Amino acid sequence: MASEDVQRGLEDVVALESRICFIDGKGGRLLYQGYDIRELAARSTFEEVAYLLWYGRLPTPAQLEQLTQRLAALREIPPGLREILDRIPKDSSPMDVLRTAVSALAIFEPEETKPGASSIGGALRLTAILPSVLGYYHRRRRGLPPLPSRPDLSHAAYFLAALDDRAPSPLDVKALDVALILHADHELNASTFAARVTASTLSDLYSAVTSAIGTLKGPLHGGANARVMDLLDDIRAPERAEEVVKDRLAKHERIMGFGHRVYKVEDPRATILREWSRQVGEAHHDLRYYETLRALEGVVHREKGLYPNVDLYSGSVYTLIGIPEDLFTPTFAVSRVVGWTAHVLEEYQDLRLIRPMAHYIGPTDLHYTEPAERA
Ligand code: CMC
């Protein structure tokens, strides 16, 4: 093998077959189990999309009701995990908190929800508990008492309520619900791949999701939307977009929220979130973000020919509905946990240990020396 044969970053490598998610990078389409994301964002709910990704079909009303009730019933944090969360420093990274909580949860879980080789019980439990963990941590650092599990609330409404006592408007809840739908899966992205690698050793669902959260934490995967908000702070007004972008490009800096490894046209998730950024901006009487982002889009397309990705508009929606910047990546996890678990369950069905190879470029003729003889 030669160095040029190495597929660095596994770019363009097709590693497995999957029925869960299809990305048409040239046509700008994203499908979950065959359904276009645009239809799902317009007509579905996060709970329905979770069912679709796990079971491969849309639920009947009775199946949806049952799933919604099961999710709501699994929100409770076990006392052992609460004790751990109470001891975590209040200034910890929320992604560290989430990763620690999922790892610890496996220890405190009752036997019946422990995942078997293909159990959906673990997927439900992990999806249900992530908003509770984030809410518990965020309220604790703000000196607020934890929220009871509120089975009357949808997943999106419960997440917002878990963060803040302020009652969110139905439009804010819908905006979050759509954002959760749009982030729920994206084929073999790095964190999903990490989850599948872990599952391919026949390890359990909780370990796979712990691997995925650690992988999502890196700024090259989760986190670009928070950096878009920093860029907006820098730009301040639409008419300054050109100057700031040109300045950054002259310094060879990347403009966050633009470009994509797979999409060669506009990311369909960006198209939907652009409209939600406008709607939420109008409802909150604050169109600053939306207007500045529109100006930014124009300049970046003119200067670099790049299209927006999912991260361009999501931060503006989150900020307006009251999600703080350091919870943007954890919010991604609150949604993507559905995709991670769907992929892990698929991996268990068609298991093949994932174990690529490295092209060795080190020496092959060294001999052991006694410690005293080493320079
Ligand atoms: N700003 C400025 N230039 C860019 C950008 C950008 N955002 N994205 C790509 N380019 C340029 C890059 O400099 C290079 O130019 P040249 O050929 O002159 O050196 C060319 O485009 C190709 O770049 P690349 O890194 O080979 O392209 P890629 O397809 O591997 O990059 C990317 C994909 C997402 C890493 C990149 O577009 C990027 O860094 N974007 C900013 C970060 C960001 O928004 N990330 C969120 C991605 S969407 C999340 C998800 O789907 O999970």
Side-chain angles (χ1 to χ4, degrees):
M1 177 180 267
S3 293
E4 51 272 25
D5 295 330
V6 174
Q7 300 287 83
R8 294 192 68 235
L10 300 183
E11 195 168 343
D12 297 328
V13 172
V14 179
L16 49 89
E17 291 187 314
S18 174
R19 303 187 67 84
I20 299 172
C21 181
F22 173 63
I23 306 173
D24 172 3
K26 290 196 184 109
R29 282 200 322 152
L30 170 61
L31 310 182
Y32 291 168
Q33 302 276 11
Y35 292 91
D36 195 304
I37 192 80
R38 287 173 288 211
E39 269 186 50
L40 295 172
R43 300 177 60 186
S44 185
T45 61
F46 178 69
E47 284 85 344
E48 206 174 33
V49 165
Y51 189 101
L52 173 67
L53 289 169
W54 288 327
Y55 291 94
R57 58 181 190 276
L58 287 169
T60 64
Q63 288 165 337
L64 180 61
E65 179 57 26
Q66 198 194 21
L67 178 111
T68 306
Q69 281 179 12
R70 281 182 79 190
L71 272 179
L74 288 166
R75 286 177 182 154
E76 209 57 51
I77 304 176
L81 179 54
R82 273 178 196 253
E83 275 173 37
I84 290 179
L85 292 173
D86 285 339
R87 298 182 63 169
I88 283 177
K90 288 185 179 160
D91 58 354
S92 306
S93 144
M95 285 301 277
D96 287 345
V97 175
L98 216 51
R99 195 193 55 240
T100 303
V102 169
S103 178
L105 185 64
I107 294 164
F108 298 114
E109 243 3 354
E111 214 36 58
E112 60 271 22
T113 48
K114 272 262 166 65
S118 59
S119 156
I120 220 145
L124 278 159
R125 175 60 162 153
L126 289 167
T127 304
I129 207 164
L130 292 195
S132 305
V133 166
L134 285 172
Y136 191 89
Y137 156 80
H138 186 57
R139 281 173 168 263
R140 183 172 158 262
R141 70 179 175 174
R142 294 173 64 213
L144 294 174
L147 184 80
S149 63
R150 295 289 307 269
D152 55 309
L153 296 180
S154 72
H155 201 67
Y158 171 66
F159 182 37
L160 287 179
L163 298 180
D164 205 319
D165 283 335
R166 197 170 48 113
S169 72
L171 187 92
D172 288 0
V173 173
K174 185 63 200 155
L176 179 61
D177 194 64
V178 169
L180 294 180
I181 291 174
L182 296 178
H183 287 83
D185 197 40
H186 212 228
E187 204 222 40
L188 270 200
N189 57 88
S191 57
T192 302
F193 187 58
R196 285 193 82 133
V197 170
T198 304
S200 84
T201 70
L202 261 184
S203 183
D204 64 284
L205 197 56
Y206 291 44
S207 300
V209 170
T210 306
S211 301
I213 295 174
T215 309
L216 181 67
K217 187 184 174 199
L220 291 186
H221 189 0
N225 51 2
R227 293 173 65 192
V228 170
M229 296 314 286
D230 297 341
L231 178 62
L232 290 188
D233 284 346
D234 207 9
I235 296 177
R236 294 196 300 275
E239 52 280 10
R240 283 191 14 95
E242 178 139 8
E243 178 191 337
V244 173
V245 167
K246 282 187 169 165
D247 182 50
R248 292 201 177 200
L249 289 176
K251 292 185 203 147
H252 302 287
E253 284 179 27
R254 294 209 165 201
I255 312 298
M256 293 295 127
F258 292 91
H260 201 277
R261 175 70 62 82
V262 186
Y263 294 112
K264 301 304 165 207
V265 292
E266 181 165 291
D267 180 336
R269 302 168 298 176
T271 317
I272 298 164
L273 284 169
R274 179 192 291 116
E275 179 52 22
W276 277 98
S277 174
R278 188 189 63 74
Q279 277 194 51
V280 173
E282 272 177 2
H284 287 262
H285 309 291
D286 184 355
L287 281 166
R288 268 174 317 154
Y289 296 133
Y290 173 75
E291 284 166 359
T292 310
L293 287 166
R294 290 296 282 155
L296 182 63
E297 258 194 79
V299 179
V300 173
H301 194 257
R302 221 171 31 246
E303 294 295 318
K304 292 290 288 186
L306 289 168
Y307 294 98
N309 62 46
V310 68
D311 285 314
L312 187 65
Y313 284 95
S314 57
S316 64
V317 173
Y318 295 159
T319 302
L320 289 169
I321 67 176
I323 299 177
E325 208 173 292
D326 71 345
L327 295 188
F328 287 2
T329 313
T331 301
F332 193 155
V334 163
S335 163
R336 186 58 58 86
V337 66
V338 169
W340 293 332
T341 49
H343 277 270
V344 168
L345 296 177
E346 188 181 58
E347 185 66 37
Y348 290 149
Q349 296 300 320
D350 184 23
L351 195 118
R352 176 86 185 147
L353 176 70
I354 299 174
R355 202 288 187 201
M357 289 166 67
H359 172 49
Y360 181 68
I361 53 169
T364 53
D365 54 357
L366 301 183
H367 293 285
Y368 185 83
T369 51
E370 291 304 321
E373 293 166 17
R374 296 172 204 162

